[in-house]
Amino acid sequence: MYNMTIRLQQNSDKCLYEQIYEHIRHEIWEGKLLAGERLPSTRSLAGDLQVARSTVDYAYEQLLSEGYIEAKPCKGYFVCPMEELLQLEPDVVEKDDTQDSQQGMTLAKETVSVPDYNFAPHGIDMSAFPFSVWRRIHKTILNNGNEELWARGDAQGDYDLRVTISRYLHSSRGVNCAPEQIVVGAGNDYLLMLLEKILGRHVGIAMENPTYMRTWRIFRSFAYNVITVPMDESGMMVTALDKTEARVAYVMPSHQFPTGTVMPIGRRTELLRWANKDENRYLIEDDYDSEFRYRGKPIPSLQSLDENGKVIYIGTFSKAIAPAIRISYMVLPQPLLEVYRRDCYFYSCTVSRIDQGVLNEFIRDGYFERHLNKMRKLYRTKHDLLLQELVPFAKKFNVSGEHGGLHLLLTAKGNVSERELVDKAEAVGVRVYRLSDSCVEEIPHRRATVLLGFGALAEQEIQEGIQKLKEAWL
């Protein structure tokens, strides 16, 4: 329930109920009161404001009649959805002899273009999430909670969860680590900020081009010298990396975003060899969606090949479970773990201990494995359907990035720009995404390429959306 602080002016020319009405109306338009939010009861609000209950009743009745709020029997008053409401606001004008005091009524409505079919590459399907299981675990932990549950906890994350994560990573990704090497945080952003404290400032860090732009922007916000390194069909080109002053290289070997490239064992070995040339060199392995591979066996992590403590391994549960589950983890090599404990010991863990406990039981008791198996099957079906629907595009486009992740790439064979492809798609109610949006620097002689994500779309939406793209592009 939204607790309101309303300052009523007894000497105002507006009566009290009008002041209450206008305050609530203004809060709704400003987005401070959200659709579905429950308002205080008339009795409690009247008590807080020290006014007659009938005064609040008059204000609520006016809001009801204008459609700003709705009354639900035995539940109370709730804010209505505001997407289609229009607002009449007077222009702010200076009064003078030549202006009409009645002038200045304008019609204000924010229009947002919402596509009928959004092939977002980062979207995921929440329809199969075991909400009942998650709620039951959450309730059990709260019911059985003791005083320790409400304490601050370990800065690296609860030890039980780190044990569970280390066992999961070893069995699924071949990662070799002890629970003591794992740091848990609320999303990769926090872990990368910690990494800046560990690696130090003014570090040269190499990234592929194209790359995951969110990470690039985070690195740029640090005092890092971010260097782009070109890619070939195997990933980051180590020959080009050798010519830079980079001390750290950030790579996504299992499924590079956005190209979908899977780095072969030979290139991984080259990267490790590069890192081993200097004791201060490291590789950051971002294994963001390695769980979703639809052909062949799972590919072991780069970290599993590391024998000299050169790989910093980062992963997240946001992609495999839900975006709102802001729990990520970082595996530090022993030398960097010592730096972390020396220089970052005072940073508190950013994940609630209750959320850590729920995730720990969700993985430990086998629910996560069952959920992953279900999601792999679901995404594989969508992946194969999308490939099938794209067969008619073969004369004008090449498909790449298949067999893993939650998006494919379409590269035009003809002389067409990415902007033209995106605009034509938008014209028929479909949103696709340009590869150039993931490029730090322009890549010479690159053909127009768009990303098609399928994770958040239903099968029927995939079919209908591709049919629209046929009309627009073919």
Side-chain angles (χ1 to χ4, degrees):
M1 184 177 68
Y2 186 84
N3 294 319
M4 275 186 262
T5 301
I6 305 176
R7 295 181 180 178
L8 298 179
Q9 299 179 8
Q10 300 293 336
N11 298 327
S12 172
D13 57 351
K14 294 182 180 179
C15 57
L16 295 178
Y17 95 87
E18 284 183 291
Q19 295 181 48
I20 297 171
Y21 155 78
E22 290 185 359
H23 175 88
I24 296 175
R25 177 179 176 273
H26 180 74
E27 294 285 281
I28 292 173
W29 275 114
E30 289 293 315
K32 296 174 183 177
L33 272 171
L34 304 178
E37 199 156 13
R38 185 162 70 92
L39 300 180
S41 68
T42 56
R43 184 187 299 276
S44 64
L45 185 56
D48 291 341
L49 300 178
Q50 297 184 348
V51 298
R53 185 177 177 183
S54 59
T55 302
V56 179
D57 283 332
Y58 289 143
Y60 276 21
E61 286 174 8
Q62 185 64 31
L63 292 164
L64 275 169
S65 64
E66 293 182 12
Y68 287 100
I69 64 175
E70 61 181 344
K72 296 183 180 180
C74 304
K75 293 184 178 180
Y77 295 94
F78 296 81
V79 179
C80 291
M82 304 300 293
E83 290 83 1
E84 299 303 323
L85 279 180
L86 301 179
Q87 182 182 23
L88 288 173
E89 294 259 349
D91 285 338
V92 178
V93 294
E94 294 183 4
K95 292 183 179 180
D96 58 39
D97 295 337
T98 62
Q99 289 181 317
D100 186 352
S101 62
Q102 298 298 319
Q103 185 181 8
M105 298 302 289
T106 59
L107 186 64
K109 180 180 180 181
E110 183 179 356
T111 58
V112 179
S113 175
V114 179
D116 298 323
Y117 307 96
N118 189 352
F119 286 86
H122 296 295
I124 71 170
D125 192 332
M126 290 298 298
S127 64
F129 183 76
F131 292 101
S132 59
V133 172
W134 193 270
R135 281 195 298 267
R136 185 171 69 248
I137 296 174
H138 194 278
K139 183 177 180 181
T140 300
I141 287 177
L142 288 177
N143 288 341
N144 298 336
N146 50 37
E147 291 183 4
E148 184 181 351
L149 181 66
W150 305 100
R152 176 176 293 183
D154 196 304
Q156 290 183 232
D158 284 355
Y159 188 77
D160 287 348
L161 175 60
R162 288 187 280 134
V163 169
T164 299
I165 290 175
S166 67
R167 291 170 59 87
Y168 163 70
L169 291 178
H170 184 69
S171 63
S172 64
R173 307 293 299 122
V175 172
N176 298 305
C177 69
E180 290 76 11
Q181 292 176 259
I182 296 175
V183 179
V184 175
N188 285 8
D189 299 3
Y190 168 75
L191 296 178
L192 293 176
M193 285 189 283
L194 267 186
L195 204 52
E196 184 202 18
K197 308 301 180 185
I198 297 168
L199 294 173
R201 297 168 63 83
H202 308 295
V203 171
I205 184 163
M207 298 187 73
E208 298 154 316
N209 186 41
T211 191
Y212 183 42
M213 291 301 292
R214 182 176 181 84
T215 299
W216 180 81
R217 292 187 181 100
I218 290 172
F219 285 156
R220 283 292 301 272
S221 72
F222 301 156
Y224 284 163
N225 175 27
V226 185
I227 306 161
T228 56
V229 176
M231 294 178 60
D232 60 15
E233 65 279 0
S234 298
M236 179 179 283
M237 298 173 63
V238 182
T239 53
L241 176 62
D242 261 328
K243 298 175 182 178
T244 71
E245 297 297 322
R247 208 187 94 195
V248 179
Y250 170 89
V251 291
M252 296 167 274
S254 295
H255 187 247
Q256 202 270 351
F257 186 89
T259 65
T261 299
V262 178
M263 187 178 290
I265 185 68
R267 183 60 54 85
R268 298 178 187 222
T269 303
E270 287 183 63
L271 279 172
L272 288 170
R273 191 179 300 123
W274 172 85
N276 285 322
K277 289 179 181 179
D278 190 311
E279 65 176 355
N280 291 319
R281 285 182 178 178
Y282 290 96
L283 301 170
I284 301 175
E285 178 181 13
D286 190 341
D287 212 15
Y288 76 103
D289 72 349
S290 59
E291 293 91 353
F292 303 119
R293 182 167 173 79
Y294 314 119
R295 298 290 186 275
K297 296 180 179 180
I299 300 172
S301 65
L302 176 63
Q303 197 269 1
S304 67
L305 304 173
D306 179 25
E307 297 179 352
N308 299 308
K310 290 294 183 179
V311 177
I312 304 162
Y313 182 89
I314 294 180
T316 179
F317 292 103
S318 296
K319 202 80 170 179
I321 299 179
I325 308 299
R326 302 297 298 161
I327 303 181
S328 297
Y329 48 86
M330 175 169 62
V331 179
L332 291 172
Q334 193 62 39
L336 296 183
L337 180 62
E338 294 172 5
V339 176
Y340 165 81
R341 289 178 172 170
R342 184 191 69 209
D343 298 340
C344 305
Y345 66 92
F346 51 87
Y347 286 101
S348 299
C349 182
T350 51
V351 181
S352 157
R353 297 194 68 195
I354 296 173
D355 291 340
Q356 292 185 62
V358 174
L359 179 62
N360 180 48
E361 291 195 23
F362 189 71
I363 300 173
R364 186 195 62 198
D365 294 347
Y367 297 111
F368 181 50
E369 181 181 359
R370 289 194 286 273
H371 176 62
L372 270 184
N373 290 334
K374 184 184 296 184
M375 296 310 296
R376 285 193 191 104
K377 183 178 180 181
L378 181 64
Y379 287 143
R380 184 187 298 115
T381 300
K382 294 182 180 184
H383 168 272
D384 293 347
L385 174 63
L386 180 56
L387 283 176
Q388 179 183 335
E389 292 294 319
L390 290 174
V391 169
F393 290 71
K395 291 183 179 180
K396 292 190 175 183
F397 294 88
N398 290 320
V399 179
S400 60
E402 66 269 39
H403 307 323
L406 300 180
H407 75 276
L408 302 175
L409 292 90
L410 273 185
T411 301
K413 296 179 181 180
N415 187 20
V416 63
S417 69
E418 289 178 0
R419 171 51 58 193
E420 185 178 349
L421 292 174
V422 170
D423 288 347
K424 286 184 176 181
E426 287 277 359
V428 295
V430 180
R431 181 165 296 170
V432 298
Y433 295 80
R434 303 183 300 174
L435 180 65
S436 58
D437 290 336
S438 298
C439 293
V440 179
E441 299 173 354
E442 185 58 39
I443 302 173
H445 312 300
R446 182 182 63 81
R447 291 192 176 274
T449 302
V450 294
L451 279 63
L452 295 177
F454 54 84
L457 294 173
E459 292 178 34
Q460 183 178 347
E461 290 176 318
I462 292 174
Q463 291 175 314
E464 294 173 354
I466 296 301
Q467 182 59 44
K468 293 284 187 181
L469 290 180
K470 288 179 185 177
E471 300 170 7
W473 293 349
L474 300 185

